């Protein structure tokens, strides 16, 4: 692992567990064992390091989630798997990503609330990428355009709500509750397999 990668991984763990503004550069240096000069060679400011951690988490989370959805048939089965994946994450059964401490992107965007801020924009890009992933599976259900948009919105809101309830209220079964709502709404839909 090179020094830049070590700094990003170390900073991410600290930011995710303690909060971004609560963690100073000196703690990142202490935990990583990297010299201050090296850190500033890679990251001119703390904000640049924070943005790198957001992009690092985006890549790791997206890789994990697409892997989970790709392990089942595309369409409705993959959308159901989305909630199963969240349930595993909430309950500490998703070893590929860190122990659940809420959504890093929500947390980071709350600390950098200006929508024009590069960190906030990177968080918004992540959320848009996940919506696009959901949309790609909804599209396979061959619904009318308006209904497809509504279902994409529903799945997105169920996902975000489950994460929020699990983190803020400690309701670790929120993903399964969201899954039950999704199953009820889509009970009459035909299961669609991915195109050959």
């Amino acid at each position: 692992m090179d020094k830049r990668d070590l700094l990003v991984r170390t900073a991410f763990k600290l930011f995710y567990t303690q909060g971004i503004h609560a963690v100073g550069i000196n703690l990142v240096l202490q935990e990583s064992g990297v010299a201050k000069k090296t850190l500033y060679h890679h990251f001119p400011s703390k904000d640049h390091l924070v943005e790198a951690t957001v992009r690092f988490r985006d890549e790791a989370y997206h890789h994990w989630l697409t892997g989970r959805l790709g392990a089942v048939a595309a369409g409705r089965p993959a959308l159901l798997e989305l909630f199963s994946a969240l349930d595993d994450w909430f309950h500490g059964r998703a070893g590929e990503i860190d122990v659940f401490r809420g959504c890093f992107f929500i947390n980071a965007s709350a600390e950098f609330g200006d929508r024009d801020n590069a960190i906030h924009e990177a968080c918004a890009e992540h959320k848009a990428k996940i919506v696009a992933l959901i949309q790609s599976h909804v599209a396979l259900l061959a619904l009318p355009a308006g209904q497809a948009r509504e279902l994409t919105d529903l799945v997105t809101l169920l996902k975000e709500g489950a994460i929020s309830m699990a983190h803020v209220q400690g309701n670790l079964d929120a993903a399964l509750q969201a899954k039950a709502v999704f199953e009820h709404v889509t009970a009459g839909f035909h299961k669609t397999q991915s195109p050959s």
Side-chain angles (χ1 to χ4, degrees):
M1 187 185 308
D2 65 24
K3 295 291 176 68
R4 185 186 187 283
D5 192 39
L6 176 60
L7 284 164
V8 170
R9 289 173 182 269
T10 302
F12 166 72
K13 287 190 180 297
L14 291 169
F15 294 157
Y16 190 38
T17 56
Q18 299 180 34
I20 295 168
H21 289 318
V23 173
I25 287 296
N26 287 337
L27 182 57
V28 176
L29 295 173
Q30 178 185 325
E31 291 293 316
S32 65
V34 175
K36 184 177 283 190
K37 183 178 179 182
T38 303
L39 184 146
Y40 284 113
H41 169 74
H42 292 292
F43 306 104
S45 71
K46 182 181 175 182
D47 280 9
H48 286 86
L49 176 60
V50 174
E51 185 182 351
T53 65
V54 170
R55 299 199 181 280
F56 163 77
R57 180 59 167 183
D58 167 59
E59 186 176 325
Y61 187 90
H62 193 262
H63 178 76
W64 166 73
L65 191 58
T66 54
R68 287 293 300 261
L69 271 54
V72 299
R76 187 171 183 269
L79 294 168
L80 288 166
E81 180 64 18
L82 167 66
F83 298 107
S84 297
L86 292 178
D87 185 58
D88 284 346
W89 183 32
F90 297 167
H91 286 92
R93 299 188 300 261
E96 308 91 323
I97 57 174
D98 290 75
V99 172
F100 178 71
R101 294 180 183 275
C103 174
F104 184 62
F105 307 98
I106 293 173
N107 299 347
S109 64
E111 293 200 50
F112 296 87
D114 180 359
R115 293 184 185 280
D116 293 328
N117 180 282
I119 295 163
H120 193 102
E121 287 179 349
C123 293
E125 287 170 16
H126 165 80
K127 293 295 185 183
K129 203 152 79 169
I130 300 301
V131 172
L133 177 62
I134 292 168
Q135 192 172 34
S136 70
H137 288 284
V138 169
L140 296 176
L141 301 178
L143 301 171
Q147 196 175 354
R149 279 193 300 273
E150 288 177 2
L151 187 59
T152 298
D153 290 344
L154 175 67
V155 174
T156 301
L157 293 169
L158 285 170
K159 168 196 162 291
E160 293 296 330
I163 292 170
S164 178
M165 289 183 71
H167 180 56
V168 178
Q169 296 179 299
N171 179 3
L172 300 185
D173 292 326
L176 295 183
Q177 292 168 341
K179 183 178 184 179
V181 172
F182 174 77
E183 285 184 294
H184 176 73
V185 170
T186 61
F189 296 175
H190 294 292
K191 293 182 181 180
T192 307
Q193 303 297 317
S194 56
S196 55

